[in-house]
DNA sequence: CGTGCTGTTGCTAG
DNA sequence: ACTAGCAACAGCAC
């Protein structure tokens, strides 16, 4: 499930399936997810329209047609899976999209299922051209993987902030896509203590952190790409990739770098894992 | 059986 | 202005 690497891999899989094809019927089994699904508008946007682009911004997946953009978010437990059947195959299936294969009309019809047990996900759409100004996106910080001045940006934004660096990293106004797991992981790798005041970090700290954030996310995407390539497989079940997490979920185990015990502590209500002997 | 956690994020209250 | 806390929900470990 969905931190940025999971959303990125799922977006790539959906891109393979959907780009250049169109969505046929859409069936909604429930319309009250985190927000109300605009069924009418959504149908107008996709009926007999080719999906020209499938992209990711932050943890949102976007499906573009000439009429507008479908906006999807997986929340905490969302997933998309491809099946040969239009009937729900799993509990908590909220929507099914028929995929019209333009290239090969003889190929068996496939159906993209949207599943989300905790219903914290979003299915929405917009007709506007300047999507960046949409309420979902207008306050978002830069993408961590493609921004080449990420360290400097974070340094500038963090001046005079007393907030713990971990919370600062998880705030999408500063940088998107760093969730609870990868915040602990990136800070461990950068040897920075999670409760340090964001404003106390130096330029050098942030340039180091930039590298570790990028590597952590990229490794997760690389390892997820293989597990996820085939998402027409109910076993590609919601669950994190088989990346080795170095500290997350490993309290009381030994630090892989120095052998001290890994600690767990709540920061802003979220479990945080770190090694107090090698993170300063 | 409860009870307390869990991937997100936008709103509220201090 | 900043920051912590909470709510929306199902499922799972204990």
């Amino acid at each position: 499930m969905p931190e940025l690497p999971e959303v990125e891999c799922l977006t790539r899989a959906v891109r393979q399936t959907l780009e250049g094809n169109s969505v046929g019927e859409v069936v909604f089994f429930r319309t009250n997810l985190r927000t109300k699904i605009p069924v009418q508008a959504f149908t107008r946007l996709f009926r007999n329209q080719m999906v020209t682009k499938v992209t990711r911004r932050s943890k949102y997946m976007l499906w573009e047609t000439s009429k507008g953009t479908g906006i999807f978010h997986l929340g905490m437990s969302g997933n998309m899976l491809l099946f040969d059947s239009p009937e729900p195959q799993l509990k908590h299936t909220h929507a099914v999209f028929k995929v019209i294969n333009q290239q090969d009309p003889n190929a068996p019809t496939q159906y993209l299922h949207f599943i989300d047990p905790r219903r914290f996900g979003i299915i929405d759409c917009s007709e506007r051209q300047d999507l960046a100004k949409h309420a979902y996106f207008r306050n978002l910080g830069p993408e961590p993987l493609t921004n080449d001045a990420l360290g400097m940006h974070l340094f500038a934004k963090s001046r005079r902030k007393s907030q713990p660096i971990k919370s600062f990293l998880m705030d999408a106004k500063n940088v998107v896509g760093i969730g609870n797991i990868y915040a602990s992981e990136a800070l461990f790798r950068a040897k920075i203590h999670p409760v340090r005041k964001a404003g106390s970090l130096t330029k050098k700290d942030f340039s180091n952190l930039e590298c570790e954030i990028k590597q952590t996310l990229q490794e997760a995407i690389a390892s997820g790409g293989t597990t996820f390539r085939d998402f027409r497989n109910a076993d590609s079940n919601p669950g994190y990739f088989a990346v080795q997490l170095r500290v997350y979920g490993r309290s009381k185990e030994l630090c892989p770098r120095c052998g001290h015990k890994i600690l767990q502590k709540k920061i802003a209500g979220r479990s945080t894992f770190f090694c107090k002997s090698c993170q300063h």
Side-chain angles (χ1 to χ4, degrees):
Chain A
M1 324 223 314
E3 283 220 24
L4 184 140
E6 288 81 359
V7 179
E8 175 62 26
C9 289
L10 185 61
T11 301
R12 292 177 187 181
V14 172
R15 182 178 298 139
Q16 288 291 315
T17 301
L18 219 50
E19 260 186 20
N21 291 327
S22 57
V23 172
E25 298 97 280
V26 182
V27 181
F28 294 104
F29 297 96
R30 186 189 261 287
T31 54
N32 59 332
L33 302 186
R34 183 188 167 108
T35 57
K36 185 94 184 149
I37 301 175
V39 176
Q40 295 288 353
F42 201 95
T43 307
R44 269 200 304 280
L45 206 61
F46 284 100
R47 188 165 35 202
N48 301 323
Q49 295 295 318
M50 185 169 79
V51 176
T52 53
K53 254 186 186 174
V54 176
T55 54
R56 176 189 62 73
R57 167 71 172 122
S58 187
K59 291 170 188 161
Y60 296 88
M61 191 192 299
L62 307 173
W63 299 359
E64 285 179 44
T65 74
S66 66
K67 304 258 187 206
T69 307
I71 302 169
F72 300 83
H73 196 287
L74 301 176
M76 293 178 96
S77 60
N79 202 4
M80 294 183 190
L81 290 170
L82 205 54
F83 291 102
D84 292 331
S85 167
E87 301 304 321
Q89 304 292 302
L90 294 170
K91 233 203 278 190
H92 310 297
T93 298
H94 306 311
V96 172
F97 307 90
K98 182 178 185 178
V99 181
I100 311 287
N101 192 330
Q102 317 277 26
Q103 284 88 38
D104 181 2
N106 295 321
T109 307
Q110 298 192 298
Y111 298 85
L112 189 50
H113 294 221
F114 182 95
I115 299 127
D116 183 10
R118 289 176 72 177
R119 276 190 265 142
F120 208 39
I122 293 169
I123 299 179
D124 202 349
C125 62
S126 168
E127 293 181 6
R128 58 193 296 169
Q129 290 305 305
D130 53 346
L131 242 210
K133 292 188 181 148
H134 192 286
Y136 288 128
F137 308 104
R138 79 184 121 193
N139 294 318
L140 294 181
E143 287 289 327
L145 289 170
T146 48
N147 188 296
D148 54 11
L150 185 66
M152 278 311 294
H153 167 80
L154 293 175
F155 173 77
K157 286 215 100 180
S158 62
R159 293 310 84 191
R160 271 170 276 112
K161 290 230 201 265
S162 63
Q163 192 182 25
I165 181 62
K166 195 231 182 188
S167 312
F168 176 83
L169 287 180
M170 289 176 64
D171 187 337
K173 289 197 294 295
N174 302 319
V175 52
V176 302
I178 303 182
N180 198 38
I181 292 177
Y182 294 110
S184 280
E185 291 296 307
L187 286 169
F188 172 76
R189 291 165 65 138
K191 302 184 184 172
I192 296 167
H193 196 293
V195 301
R196 253 186 72 190
K197 292 180 179 182
S200 78
L201 272 67
T202 62
K203 277 185 197 169
K204 189 153 184 245
D205 287 329
F206 276 113
S207 107
N208 191 11
L209 193 49
E210 171 177 354
C211 294
E212 298 300 344
I213 287 169
K214 287 176 175 170
Q215 278 188 35
T216 306
L217 295 175
Q218 259 149 8
E219 282 174 23
I221 290 169
S223 89
T226 54
T227 11
F228 230 89
R229 194 172 31 208
D230 190 10
F231 75 129
R232 64 200 90 194
N233 179 0
D235 313 331
S236 74
N237 219 358
Y240 284 96
F241 299 153
V243 272
Q244 291 137 349
L245 299 175
R246 301 187 187 179
V247 288
Y248 186 87
R250 295 184 181 275
S251 48
K252 297 177 189 166
E253 293 182 36
L254 300 183
C255 169
R257 198 159 46 207
C258 77
H260 279 74
K261 202 182 279 179
I262 294 169
L263 302 179
Q264 176 173 3
K265 174 186 170 60
K266 292 248 183 213
I267 298 177
R270 313 294 305 277
S271 289
T272 307
F273 300 84
F274 64 103
C275 171
K276 79 172 185 342
S277 118
C278 56
Q279 289 173 257
H280 300 289

